[in-house]
Each structure stands twice: as structure tokens, then as C-alpha cells.
């Protein structure tokens, strides 16, 4: 993809910078030059730039989805009521995932990527626990590249028993050589769970390492406390019901933590100890992920709503039952930070994205505030966190390239994508014999007789 970008000026918008060193502006401008932010200020004098009129809109950093299994795109809402992790795995991995072709991987990933862009998500950590072959991985990476989203694709062994992981971790070297260099938007890491042999290969390639971690399903042995094993290169997702000594280990090592408010509630992973708050209490910076399309979709606004409500509910429950020194109720600014700056940190991109700071990559979104559910704006951050939806996202820019403008995706044939995705889903249903119920609860696998 070309690195030659024109100058763009977002003019007369409400500017939310998320940079403590750069003031927010009730009315201001953001100049983009060469794919990076050149200036933020009031009434910038600029010649030769395309002007985007931001009057009546909020200009802010793009959202960061810090954990999403993008390969599940064609299974959207197939299991909306599931509350059993192993029933979920039986359907998505053993029943349907076992039949995935590289084409299905490409279409699922492409669908999730463009839907994310539509919702103002400019960066995503793609947790792929279905890297069935090098061809499947290449298809996912090609889809991310074609969509124009910034992504960290985490390569991981497929969950189903029919899949081979013989190509891992050896394939990581090829992938690092192809993707982890220069200014490309797409990079590769390892979805390594707790396999230290794989971790060593990934660390030798300077890759980030992702682990799904639910405290009562996984334990860290003493080897993980050895110097250099854990560090900022690690991303631990969920982190629910984690023992106190493990939180201390995480904090001492400075690992990254991601939480998925809706998914953690769906499966009953969390309790009133609340993983997000445990991370905060230990000095960590938890980020937000969407996790699943099988129940939800590519919408980080929903995760922000859920985080705000769940934290307040959990902390007030603890207060009302008589606990002392209960953490304060969460603020909308903390929620937005989890959906931007903290996600960038998890991806290793804190110095490049997630604030409107001169010199950073121009990953910018502009949201309209003239919708009947949004106006009048009396608190900009509260409006973003509590009122704005994907339909209010007017413009999305990634590295200076416009991916959505005037409320419409740019360069995406949505009709063709819909037809291709539907054909992929129908192939998987036919190949697997799985029959979802269009109107009923879908909590366990159903196969044709």
C-alpha cells in the first residue's frame, strides 16, 4: 500500500486529544501530513490541504480493540445465549472450525476488519486460535492488509482436535520476515498460551505473546516467575478470578492485561472482584476487547457501556456489603482511556497511536454529534462513551488514509462481501452438518440427522 498521503485538515471540531500534554479544544483543528499528525490547535493556518469540516463533530483518536477472534466473522450471533465455554468450543472449533478453508479465514477476517473500521476501530489485536496452516495464516493477513486496518495478528494453534500445529512455531520466522518490518499496518505475534518453548521462539523474533487466562482454568508454575519470562511483551486476556500472588507477578513484570466486559459476563468468567479493577489496583493499564462475533459484533462502544456499568455495579456491591476502602466508581475518561491508550500499549504501539499528538500516526476518527440521541453536547467524553454509536462515526482515517467518509465505508463493495460471507457460512454449515436455530436459543451444537 502506498505511503504517499495528501495533507488533510480537520477544521472547527471539538478536539479530544487523550494526550495529557496537549489540551482538548472546544473548537480546534487537526492537521495530517504524510500519514502523521502534524499539528493540533485552534484556527490553524494551512495551505494546500484537503479540508474536512468538523463543525458539530468530535475529532479524536481511533479506538483500539485489544482482543478479537476475527476468524469468527461468518459465525455472527450464532450462539447469542451460550454460557458454557466448552459448548462454545464444540461449535466454533470442533464442528465448524474444523472445516475452515483459507477462503473462509479470509472472508471472516475481512468482514470483521471492515465492520470494525465502520465502528471507529482503527487498530485491532486479532487473537487467532485457528491458524490451521500457513495458508490460513496468510489468508488472514492478506485480509487485514486489504481492509486497511492497523492490526497485530496473533498466530495460534487451532482449538479443534483435527488440526495440526506442526507448522508452529517454526512458521513464525517466515511471518516475521514478511510482516514485522518497515511502516506496514499489519504485524504478527504469537498466541502462545503457556507454551514456554513457543514463547522462546517468539521472543527471539521480538514478538508479542498472547495468553488467554482464566484463573480457575489455568495456573502459572514457578518457571513463569523466573527473570525475563514475563514482561511488557506479554498480553494476558480475561484475567478473571486470578489469585493475588499472580496479580503481583503480573504487576512486577509489567505485563499487559485485556478484558472483555460483555464476553466475560456471557460466560460467567468474572465475579465481583472484577478483573479490570484488579488490574487497576495493581498498577496495570487494562485495555478493552470485544472477543466474539458469535454473540456480539465489531462494536467497542458496547464494551465501553458494559465496562462503565459493570465496574460501578461491582464496586457498589462491595461497598454496600460493608467492605472498606472500595475503589471509586469508574469515570468516563478512564473508560475511554481503556478503549484507546491502554489498547495501544497492549499492542506495543503506545508511541505511535491513540493520542492526537504531533508526530504520531494519523489514526483519527470524527463522530457526528447532531444525531437525535446525541445532542446537545455538554460533556464531550461522556458523549463518546455513553451516547455515540457506529452510525455516528462519520470519518475514519488510518495512517492518513480515509477508510470511512460521510458515514460510508470507502472502497468496500458491501453487497459483494455480504454474498461471499453468506456463501462461506452456508458452506461451513453444509460441511459440518450444524443447524443453528434461526429463532431459538443456541447454546449447544445441533447437527443434521
Amino acid at each position: 500500500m502506498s505511503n504517499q498521503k495528501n495533507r488533510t485538515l480537520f477544521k472547527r471540531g471539538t478536539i479530544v486529544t487523550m494526550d495529557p500534554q496537549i489540551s482538548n479544544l472546544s473548537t480546534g483543528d487537526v492537521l495530517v501530513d504524510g500519514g502523521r499528525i502534524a499539528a493540533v490547535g485552534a484556527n490553524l493556518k494551512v495551505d494546500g490541504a484537503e479540508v474536512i469540516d468538523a463543525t458539530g463533530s468530535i475529532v479524536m483518536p481511533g479506538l483500539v480493540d485489544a482482543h478479537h477472534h476475527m476468524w469468527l466473522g461468518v459465525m455472527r450471533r450464532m450462539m447469542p445465549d451460550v454460557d458454557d465455554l466448552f459448548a462454545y468450543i464444540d461449535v466454533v472449533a470442533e464442528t465448524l472450525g474444523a472445516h475452515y478453508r483459507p477462503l473462509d479465514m479470509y472472508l471472516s477476517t475481512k468482514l470483521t476488519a471492515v465492520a470494525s473500521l465502520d465502528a471507529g476501530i482503527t487498530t485491532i489485536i486479532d487473537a487467532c486460535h485457528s491458524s490451521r496452516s500457513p495458508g490460513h495464516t496468510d489468508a488472514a493477513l492478506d485480509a487485514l492488509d486489504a481492509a486497511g486496518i492497523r492490526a497485530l495478528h496473533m498466530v495460534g494453534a487451532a482449538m479443534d482436535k483435527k488440526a495440526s500445529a506442526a507448522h508452529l512455531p517454526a512458521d513464525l520466522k517466515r511471518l516475521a520476515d514478511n510482516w514485522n518490518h518497515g511502516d506496514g499496518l499489519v504485524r504478527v505475534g504469537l498466541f502462545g498460551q503457556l507454551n514456554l518453548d513457543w514463547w522462546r521462539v517468539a521472543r527471539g523474533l521480538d514478538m508479542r505473546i498472547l495468553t488467554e487466562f482464566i484463573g480457575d482454568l489455568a495456573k502459572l508454575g514457578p518457571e513463569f516467575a523466573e527473570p525475563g519470562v514475563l514482561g511488557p511483551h506479554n498480553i494476558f486476556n480475561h484475567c478473571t478470578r486470578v489469585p493475588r500472588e499472580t496479580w503481583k507477578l503480573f504487576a512486577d513484570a509489567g505485563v499487559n492485561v485485556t478484558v472483555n466486559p460483555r464476553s466475560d459476563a456471557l460466560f460467567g468468567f468474572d465475579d465481583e472482584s472484577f478483573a479490570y479493577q484488579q488490574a487497576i489496583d495493581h498498577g496495570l493499564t487494562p485495555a478493552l476487547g470485544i472477543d466474539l462475533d458469535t454473540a456480539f459484533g465489531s462494536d467497542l462502544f458496547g464494551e465501553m457501556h458494559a465496562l462503565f456499568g459493570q465496574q460501578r455495579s461491582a464496586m457498589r456491591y462491595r461497598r454496600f456489603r460493608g467492605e472498606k476502602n472500595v475503589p471509586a466508581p469508574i469515570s468516563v475518561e478512564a473508560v475511554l482511556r481503556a478503549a484507546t491508550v491502554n489498547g495501544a500499549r497492549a499492542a506495543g504501539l503506545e508511541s505511535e497511536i491513540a493520542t492526537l499528538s504531533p508526530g504520531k500516526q494519523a489514526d483519527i476518527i470524527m463522530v457526528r454529534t447532531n444525531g437525535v440521541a446525541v445532542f446537545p453536547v455538554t460533556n464531550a467524553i461522556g458523549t463518546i462513551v455513553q451516547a455515540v454509536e457506529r452510525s455516528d462515526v462519520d470519518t475514519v482515517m488510518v495512517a492518513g488514509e480515509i477508510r470511512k467518509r460521510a458515514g460510508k465505508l470507502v472502497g468496500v463493495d458491501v453487497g459483494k462481501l455480504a454474498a461471499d460471507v453468506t456463501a462461506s457460512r452456508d458452506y461451513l454449515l453444509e460441511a459440518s452438518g450444524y443447524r443453528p436455530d434461526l429463532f431459538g436459543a443456541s447454546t449447544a451444537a445441533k447437527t443434521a440427522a
Side-chain angles (χ1 to χ4, degrees), residues 78-377:
M78 192 171 283
M79 303 185 75
D81 301 317
V82 68
D83 64 356
D84 182 332
L85 175 64
F86 299 101
Y88 157 81
I89 291 172
D90 184 56
V91 173
V92 304
E94 299 291 350
T95 304
L96 293 169
H99 296 280
Y100 258 58
R101 305 160 295 178
L103 175 61
D104 306 304
M105 180 67 74
Y106 178 92
L107 291 169
S108 284
T109 305
K110 179 74 175 289
L111 174 63
T112 308
V114 299
S116 298
L117 289 167
D118 183 63
I121 296 166
T122 53
T123 298
I124 195 162
I125 298 178
D126 179 15
C128 188
H129 46 18
S130 191
S131 303
R132 305 182 66 80
S133 72
H136 287 77
T137 298
D138 290 344
L141 289 163
D142 287 345
L144 293 167
D145 188 50
I149 198 167
R150 192 181 300 277
L152 176 60
H153 178 77
M154 310 304 277
V155 178
M159 293 186 292
D160 67 280
K161 299 179 181 67
K162 300 175 185 175
S164 170
H167 58 293
L168 296 174
D171 198 37
L172 296 178
K173 174 67 165 58
R174 176 185 71 90
L175 295 168
D177 289 345
N178 289 344
W179 294 93
N180 290 1
H181 55 79
D183 296 326
L185 298 180
V186 180
R187 301 182 77 81
V188 179
L190 171 67
F191 194 155
Q193 286 307 92
L194 298 176
N195 187 327
L196 284 180
D197 290 337
W198 289 20
W199 285 28
R200 292 185 188 96
V201 174
R203 289 306 302 140
L205 297 168
D206 195 26
M207 285 182 169
R208 292 180 101 69
I209 300 165
L210 171 64
T211 302
E212 299 270 30
F213 196 72
I214 302 162
D216 49 4
L217 295 180
K219 305 293 181 185
L220 293 185
E223 64 273 20
F224 289 90
E226 294 177 6
V229 173
L230 294 177
H233 53 276
N234 288 103
I235 308 169
F236 284 85
N237 185 55
H238 295 301
C239 295
T240 51
R241 299 195 289 266
V242 170
R244 186 173 302 174
E245 60 272 18
T246 303
W247 276 118
K248 185 179 186 306
L249 181 61
F250 284 174
D252 291 345
V255 307
N256 297 282
V257 169
T258 57
V259 297
N260 321 119
R262 291 185 293 183
S263 176
D264 292 339
L266 178 78
F267 288 110
F269 289 157
D270 217 344
D271 55 25
E272 72 273 13
S273 63
F274 202 51
Y276 169 90
Q277 191 62 49
Q278 289 290 327
I280 292 290
D281 292 346
H282 286 85
L284 298 170
T285 55
L288 287 185
I290 292 169
D291 202 15
L292 310 170
D293 286 272
T294 51
F296 312 116
S298 303
D299 173 15
L300 206 58
F301 297 112
E303 300 302 332
M304 288 193 277
H305 299 164
L307 175 61
F308 186 91
Q310 289 176 12
Q311 193 274 355
R312 292 207 163 205
S313 177
M315 295 311 107
R316 284 176 173 164
Y317 173 72
R318 290 170 59 182
R319 181 182 302 167
F320 292 155
R321 74 181 183 187
E323 285 190 35
K324 304 298 183 182
N325 302 316
V326 175
I330 198 169
S331 68
V332 290
E333 183 175 1
V335 172
L336 187 57
R337 186 162 294 277
T340 52
V341 174
N342 294 0
R345 186 177 293 118
L349 295 170
E350 183 183 8
S351 66
E352 288 293 308
I353 61 169
T355 66
L356 299 186
S357 309
K360 282 195 172 184
Q361 293 277 347
D363 290 9
I364 300 171
I365 65 174
M366 185 176 86
V367 295
R368 295 186 295 261
T369 63
N370 61 356
V372 70
V374 179
F375 67 78
V377 176

